[in-house]
Amino acid sequence: MLLAADVGNTNVVFALFTYGDDGTHTIRARWRIATDPRRTGDEYAVWLLQLLKIEGVERDEITQIIVASVVPRADHNLTVLCQKYFGITPLFAGQGAARWRFEIDVDQPSSLGADRALNILAAHHKYGGDLIVVDFGTATKFEAVDFTGAYKGGSIAPGINLSLDALVGKTAKLPRIAIRAPASRSVIGRNTEDQMLIGVFWGYVAMMEGMVARMKTEIGRPAKVVATGGLAILFDDATEIFDHVDADLTLDGLAILARQAETV
């Protein structure tokens, strides 16, 4: 089995993969924990080994581990977890045998985050053709991927929760609200909370629809739009721009990259 860890700015997602005889992968289980660079390898182990036991998986059934991290301070403790408790030196996405095998056609290829690269890899592998990948995370990322799988560039916007935090944190009287789809499609609110929700939610929809439209014009060829990240499903009901909503895109990218690493 493959154990994969996707280390984001907000959460770390662990996923357990099995492989079929035809080489296809299946997610058997997944677990989420808040990102904390101070969490030691031993602390990870106490939590993770209990979850594996609940799933009925023995440590020695895991034969490969791959990590994607955008939080460098967490990398050492995750390496300790893998080596001390599984006897495995983990692969790190974008490094060594797990290097990227697609063209990164931007000014600073080394600045491309592992999470973004994995989405690019998985989207090309699963959907093909020209693509726009939209990832709703702490930041919202827009990626342009051509039909060869090459990364051609993109953009980064504040995530919707980050935007809301800034709005509430910098104003004295506006209340904290939960992100959800408004009850109607009206953009004229009748009270403060509704007006905030409309501004944040429909304003965000307008931003992403405008960005996707501009990207399609610039690409100049038909491009499929793939959405991923925790809030992708929320926005799917509010817009027609998504061709695919794929919550597991980043994790699938880790499994694909791990298989590629085996061929080195």
Side-chain angles (χ1 to χ4, degrees):
M1 292 185 189
L2 168 70
L3 179 64
D6 173 24
V7 185
N9 289 300
T10 304
N11 292 299
V12 182
V13 179
F14 287 86
L16 194 63
F17 288 90
T18 58
Y19 289 101
D21 294 335
D22 59 354
T24 58
H25 60 264
T26 302
I27 298 177
R28 173 167 169 172
R30 79 192 76 199
W31 308 284
R32 185 180 299 265
I33 191 170
T35 301
D36 182 353
R38 299 169 301 175
R39 184 173 286 113
T40 68
D42 298 327
E43 290 173 316
Y44 276 117
V46 169
W47 173 80
L48 183 59
L49 295 179
Q50 289 185 69
L51 292 170
L52 288 170
K53 185 175 181 180
I54 292 170
E55 192 64 30
V57 176
E58 298 294 331
R59 276 188 267 181
D60 59 8
E61 293 182 73
I62 294 172
T63 57
Q64 189 181 30
I65 302 176
I66 188 168
V67 177
S69 175
V70 297
V71 186
R73 288 175 56 211
D75 294 356
H76 172 73
N77 289 333
L78 286 165
T79 300
V80 171
L81 164 71
C82 298
Q83 294 177 336
K84 183 175 180 179
Y85 291 94
F86 295 95
I88 296 171
T89 298
L91 296 166
F92 275 86
Q95 302 176 27
R99 67 187 181 278
W100 310 121
R101 290 172 171 78
F102 59 86
E103 182 184 3
I104 303 175
D105 185 17
V106 295
D107 293 341
Q108 296 177 311
S110 61
S111 69
L112 180 64
D115 54 342
R116 302 174 72 186
L118 290 166
N119 288 338
I120 293 161
L121 172 66
H124 175 68
H125 184 86
K126 297 175 74 173
Y127 303 110
D130 288 287
L131 298 166
I132 296 169
V133 182
V134 186
D135 182 8
F136 297 95
T138 305
T140 297
K141 286 86 68 179
F142 298 84
E143 320 293 5
V145 187
D146 76 8
F147 58 91
T148 69
Y151 174 56
K152 307 301 287 186
S155 60
I156 304 171
I160 189 168
N161 282 307
L162 202 59
S163 299
L164 180 59
D165 287 345
L167 177 64
V168 173
K170 295 296 183 181
T171 53
K173 296 182 69 175
L174 292 182
R176 179 163 295 281
I177 60 172
I179 294 296
R180 56 180 175 81
S184 77
R185 289 182 174 261
S186 171
V187 294
I188 302 176
R190 303 279 291 174
N191 58 69
T192 298
E193 291 192 11
D194 284 352
Q195 291 165 359
M196 289 177 65
L197 183 60
I198 287 167
V200 171
F201 185 88
W202 289 117
Y204 215 80
V205 170
M207 181 276 288
M208 64 190 189
E209 288 178 340
M211 287 295 296
V212 167
R214 285 172 174 268
M215 291 179 74
K216 285 187 172 183
T217 298
E218 196 165 336
I219 290 168
R221 298 181 298 271
K224 296 186 285 290
V225 181
V226 181
T228 190
L231 292 175
I233 293 175
L234 174 66
F235 289 120
D236 189 32
D237 292 332
T239 183
E240 301 296 324
I241 63 173
F242 302 143
D243 296 291
H244 305 279
V245 175
D246 190 336
D248 294 325
L249 196 66
T250 310
L251 294 176
D252 284 334
L254 279 166
I256 293 165
L257 186 61
R259 266 300 169 100
Q260 291 179 348
E262 290 180 339
T263 65
V264 175

